[in-house]
Amino acid sequence: MRFPSTPRGLLRRPAAALFATALMLALAACTGPAPEEQEQALDQAQQAANEATANADPTPPPPARCDASQVQGLVGQTYSDAMQSQAKDDADASEVRVIKPNQPLTLEFIGERLNIEIDEKGVITGVRCG
């Protein structure tokens, strides 16, 4: 028994309809929230921002106190612990970090810290804040 042949157009039409349906479903899933939901989310975000601003401390942090220009005369001198204490006071620094050659360093900037750089012989090669 022989079945009648199916025209090619009939096979393509269901496939095209299936593709069009899948495309419409995919596009429907991509739509954003309704305008009312967007407006509500914006209002909530604005309210949270206003509360954060109201609770913030309005006074700015104090400026860094360290002043390395006051201790530049130490460059070229041999480092000592007594010199570190005096340099801390003269630069009005809250802490001192001595940096030796090839010493690993953290890169955070602390404006109140005085950095004293020394070479292999213990001679001060630089002073800076941070």
Side-chain angles (χ1 to χ4, degrees):
M1 178 175 209
R2 192 167 179 214
F3 294 103
S5 63
T6 307
R8 287 185 154 184
L10 289 177
L11 290 178
R12 289 186 184 157
R13 285 185 199 142
L18 183 61
F19 175 74
T21 303
L23 181 62
M24 288 185 345
L25 289 173
L27 289 175
C30 292
T31 60
E36 299 83 28
E37 292 174 356
Q38 290 178 355
E39 196 170 310
Q40 183 182 12
L42 286 173
D43 287 342
Q44 289 174 349
Q46 183 64 44
Q47 183 180 2
N50 290 342
E51 289 174 8
T53 304
N55 296 336
D57 185 10
T59 58
R65 299 177 312 190
C66 181
D67 183 7
S69 67
Q70 301 300 316
V71 292
Q72 290 299 317
L74 298 177
V75 175
Q77 296 183 31
T78 303
Y79 169 79
S80 70
D81 289 337
M83 184 181 290
Q84 175 182 338
S85 178
Q86 185 63 43
K88 179 181 175 183
D89 291 341
D90 291 347
D92 196 21
S94 63
E95 62 182 282
V96 176
R97 175 170 65 170
V98 179
I99 303 172
K100 300 173 183 170
N102 302 316
Q103 175 183 342
L105 297 175
T106 59
L107 298 179
E108 80 274 6
F109 180 83
I110 300 175
E112 300 86 22
R113 176 176 59 198
L114 177 66
N115 292 297
I116 300 176
E117 301 171 18
I118 60 173
D119 65 11
E120 309 81 34
K121 298 177 183 176
V123 175
I124 298 174
T125 59
V127 289
R128 60 183 167 82
C129 295

